[in-house]
Amino acid sequence: MPALARERRTVPLDQQTRVSRNGRRERRYQARRLEILRAAGREFRSRGFVETGMRDIAEAAELSPANLYNYFQGKREILFFCQDSSLDRMLRALARARRAKTSAAARLRLVIVSHLRCLLDEVEGSAAHLLTNALPPRQLRYVVAKRDRYELGVRHLIASGMRAGEFVPGDAALVARAMLGALNWSVQWFRPDGPMTAEEIAEGLADYLIRGLLRKPESVRRFAPERATTRIMAKQVPEDTRLRSAAR
């Protein structure tokens, strides 16, 4: 019998049960924090960060103010969680794109679509994405460092496409910053009740931004079939669904 199997069998049953319960409790706790975050995001968007109070967030999340403080000590902690969670999602999408065995344009398109869905599709970080300056200095440094790591990864994707001759040559850092600036600004003008859905905007902007990079712009529809992007993106859905379900 393998040593690992023998080791598992020696763990008392009550200890295994306790560990399992603690795991479920932690998942429910984190999922509930995400639900509060989404409620806070809606309030930040409609009222503004300064005007939004913890009582407003508690009401939007269907919690008592006292219960809300079991999850967050203040709205700046919620804002930090918004930033941290959205950057985690973007970094996971970036990692999936880098592993994908496809063209540089297809990988970059996946990152763009994931980025916009994270900002616009009622997911954490959307309304608070441009509010990093409201964070305390230590948390701000942490978020900026993570954001820089994400930007560097996008820059590397663009540079790899330039080296491969798939993209026109240029300054990859400049292109990455211009592209991310355009994507991030979408939170200012997007309206959930507008004429286009978040998914339509994500797909359209991805085509538009990448077309300007391609050596052969007419190939924009060949580099990333919608089915391929949907297939890769779908890997994120079970995780999000699981977290939401655990909150209930």
Side-chain angles (χ1 to χ4, degrees):
M1 179 184 297
L4 183 59
R6 288 198 305 271
E7 193 175 305
R8 270 200 295 261
R9 289 188 62 179
T10 61
V11 176
L13 182 59
D14 60 337
Q15 184 176 337
Q16 294 179 34
T17 303
R18 191 160 55 249
V19 169
S20 177
R21 286 175 179 171
N22 289 340
R24 288 197 299 271
R25 188 179 300 114
E26 177 63 20
R27 286 194 295 273
R28 285 196 299 270
Y29 175 77
Q30 292 300 333
R32 190 58 174 137
R33 279 164 64 92
L34 286 176
E35 294 296 329
I36 293 170
L37 182 152
R38 292 185 177 94
R42 292 192 295 271
E43 294 301 301
F44 291 157
R45 183 187 291 276
S46 63
R47 298 172 182 267
F49 179 74
V50 174
E51 291 75 16
T52 301
M54 288 292 278
R55 188 173 295 275
D56 300 317
I57 296 170
E59 184 177 346
E62 300 181 349
L63 290 171
S64 69
N67 198 6
L68 177 60
Y69 280 97
N70 290 326
Y71 296 95
F72 294 100
Q73 293 305 303
K75 65 180 183 179
R76 280 184 170 79
E77 186 181 350
I78 296 176
L79 178 60
F80 173 73
F81 190 50
C82 282
Q83 293 290 330
D84 197 34
S85 297
S86 62
L87 283 167
D88 281 344
R89 288 175 62 88
M90 291 176 186
L91 285 166
R92 286 197 298 269
L94 177 64
R96 290 198 306 274
R98 294 175 69 174
R99 292 193 302 267
K101 298 184 184 303
T102 183
S103 65
R107 292 195 297 271
L108 183 58
R109 188 177 196 277
L110 170 63
V111 169
I112 291 173
V113 171
S114 300
H115 188 112
L116 279 172
R117 287 184 176 179
C118 182
L119 293 184
L120 305 181
D121 202 14
E122 201 182 347
V123 180
E124 58 270 18
S126 59
H129 193 70
L130 299 180
L131 295 170
T132 47
N133 289 335
L135 291 172
R138 190 165 70 90
Q139 291 181 336
L140 177 59
R141 287 193 298 271
Y142 176 87
V143 166
V144 168
K146 186 177 279 192
R147 187 177 64 193
D148 288 347
R149 181 155 53 95
Y150 175 72
E151 180 187 315
L152 183 62
V154 175
R155 187 191 310 177
H156 286 165
L157 279 183
I158 294 170
S160 69
M162 291 177 175
R163 289 193 301 270
E166 194 174 336
F167 298 156
V168 294
D171 186 332
L174 178 63
V175 173
R177 287 170 182 155
M179 187 173 288
L180 291 174
L183 298 178
N184 291 340
W185 192 250
S186 65
V187 302
Q188 296 284 11
W189 52 261
F190 173 72
R191 294 292 177 269
D193 57 351
M196 296 181 70
T197 65
E199 184 172 353
E200 289 170 340
I201 290 172
E203 299 288 345
L205 267 180
D207 286 349
Y208 178 79
L209 291 171
I210 294 177
R211 185 180 291 113
L213 280 176
L214 293 173
R215 277 187 177 274
K216 298 178 180 179
E218 67 276 6
S219 66
V220 68
R221 284 297 176 186
R222 290 192 295 104
F223 69 75
E226 185 175 347
R227 283 177 299 179
T229 304
T230 302
R231 185 176 63 252
I232 299 172
M233 287 287 296
K235 295 180 179 179
Q236 180 65 30
V237 174
E239 179 178 354
D240 296 338
T241 302
R242 177 176 55 78
L243 287 172
R244 293 183 187 184
S245 297
R248 296 181 174 87

